[in-house]
Structure formats: structure tokens, C-alpha cells
Amino acid sequence: MLLELIQRRRVLFLGGKGGVGKTATASAAALHQAASGRRVLLVSTDPAHNLGHLWDQRVGDEPVELYRDDTTGGVLRGVEIDPQRTIDEHLAEVGATLRDFMPEHLHPQVAAHLKLSAHSPGTHESAILERIAVLIEYGLDAHDLIVFDTAPSGHTARLMALPEIMSTWMSGLLTRRSKAERFGAAVRVLDGDDDPASNAPSNRDQRIRQVLTRRKARFEMLREVLSNPKTCSFVVVLTPERLPVLESVELCAQLRESGVDVGGLVVNRLSPRDAGEYLAQRREQEQRHLDSLSELLPGVAVDTLPMLSGDLVGPAAIQRLAHELR
């Protein structure tokens, strides 16, 4: 399922409960596509920053090469979104816009407000969302596929719902901005200051509108990508245990409510049947959870990955996991 799905998509999100192997599964799928000749960007939105640890090399906020196949021309690059850098850049742009709104003597209050906003609910999510939008907006020009390794379920579900919310919010800001511009223009006419060539407030209004329009277009683009099943899908990764199964069912419902296509499920770390009595009994229990998953999510494709021996670290180990996807 996963490989057939990813071959037909430009954007793929992988998510699920924490600790189920999302980063490993996303890396294996991305590596498989790069080995087949595609240009792939692998992006981690998880603040835990496991991508670099898994590949055993430094990965940061700018793309670094993880793999290259000179025979097929495929290449895999990796990015770990730095939440703090993203928030700082996000608030710097917001601050510039706010200072355009406010007279100079109120700029210290703007700085104080932004300092508080850096720690307020929703700031992290909106900043990360905009970075995801930028990566999709520009990343698809240089890559055939973008694979997102996302944070644990609750965070990701909220993130998938945000494009609709943010787009609506930006539309509201633009509407209010238009009303403010008309009111300002009327006041300037009454004051006898209606020369458009030298009208500083009018120029300020135009700059503010440009910022709002650009952000609205960016969120609308992201909403269109996320809601287009021919372009984008979400794959839920889980382990064959009761809590991950229940959380995955809930995540699928939340994703569908947000208009995101659920492409399938990958059940990771399935115990072998022929490696002793303990693991054989555990495998029977895991099978019951798999059966429950099929009942709770009928019609959703399910892939399985076996429990592998040894640490999953470095390109060779990821290649071994990618081979299991076939």
C-alpha cells in the first residue's frame, strides 16, 4: 500500500502516536523513492529531532543531503524544522506588520506584546504551519516528492485543521483592513490630505495589505494541497497494541473531518511467529489488535513491518527497513 501510494503523490504525511516508528517509516519510504530516481525532501516537524539521530548525521533547519543514487539520479534531502527559529521569524514578520499599524511611540508595547506571544497557545502551531506551507510552495519546484514526518497525533491533528482556520482568519483581517482603509481615506479627505503620491498612511495600508494577502494565499494553497487526494495523503503509523490502535482510529476520524485523505495504515514492529514461544504468543495478541483495527477502520489499507533486530541507525539500517516495504 505505502509504496503504491507514495509513487502517485507529491506530498505525503506520516503521523501517529509517539514512539511507534514514524521517523523510521518515513525515512524508509523516502529512501525507497530516492533510490528509484525521484528527488525527495524529507521533513521532520517533530521537536524531538530524531531524523538526524536516525541517519547518524547532522540535520538542521536547512536541507542537507542524506542519500544520492548517481545511477538513477535520485536524491534525498532532509530538514528538521527548528521551532524556535520558525517562531522567531514568524514573530519578526508579525512585528513589522504591527509596527506599520502603530505610531512610533507605541513600538515598545508592540515588542512587549510579541514577547508574550512567543509563549502563547497557538503560536508554535501557526509558525510551524507557515513553514510547512513555504516548504511545499517552494520545495515542489526542486523535488518530486515531499515526505513529512510529523509530531505525535494530537499536535498533528490540530495542525491539519489549521489551514482552514488560518485562511478564514486572514480573510477576516483583510475585510477589516479594507474597512480601515476606507475610513482612513475619508478622514484624510476631510483633513485636506488626499494627495495619493505623498500619502504615507496610504502606502502603509498597501504594505499591510500585501503582507495579509500573501499569507492568505499561502494558507489557501496549503489547504488546497492537503484536501487534494491526488496530490497529498496521510499515512498513520502505529504498533500492534491497544492504545496505538485506539489513538490511530481517532486520528483517522480527525483527519477526515479536516478534509485530509487517509491513504492507509502502517503497523510497525510486528513480532515473528517462529522465534520462540514468548514472541509467538505476543504475535497472537498482536493479531487480535490487527483484527480489531480492520473492524474499526473497514476498507482502509494496512501494511505491516516486522520487528527488526539491532538498532535502526544509519543509511544501511534504513535501507534494510525500506526493503521490508516491498
Side-chain angles (χ1 to χ4, degrees), residues 23 28 37 59 97-98 102 166 173 205 217 249 263 270 283 288 300:
T23 303
V59 179
T97 305
L98 284 175
M102 306 294 183
M166 295 296 288
L173 286 178
D205 290 341
V249 171
L270 209 59
R283 180 67 178 82
R288 288 194 288 271
V300 179

Side-chain angles (χ1 to χ4, degrees), residues 11 19-20 57 79 83 109 133 158 177-178 183 200 209 218 245-246 255 269 287 291:
V11 178
V20 298
Q57 73 174 77
V79 173
Q109 284 90 326
R158 291 193 299 273
R177 189 69 235 148
S178 295
F183 179 76
R209 172 170 288 279
R218 183 170 289 162
V245 166
L246 295 177
L255 291 169
R269 301 179 194 145
Q287 186 59 51
D291 294 341

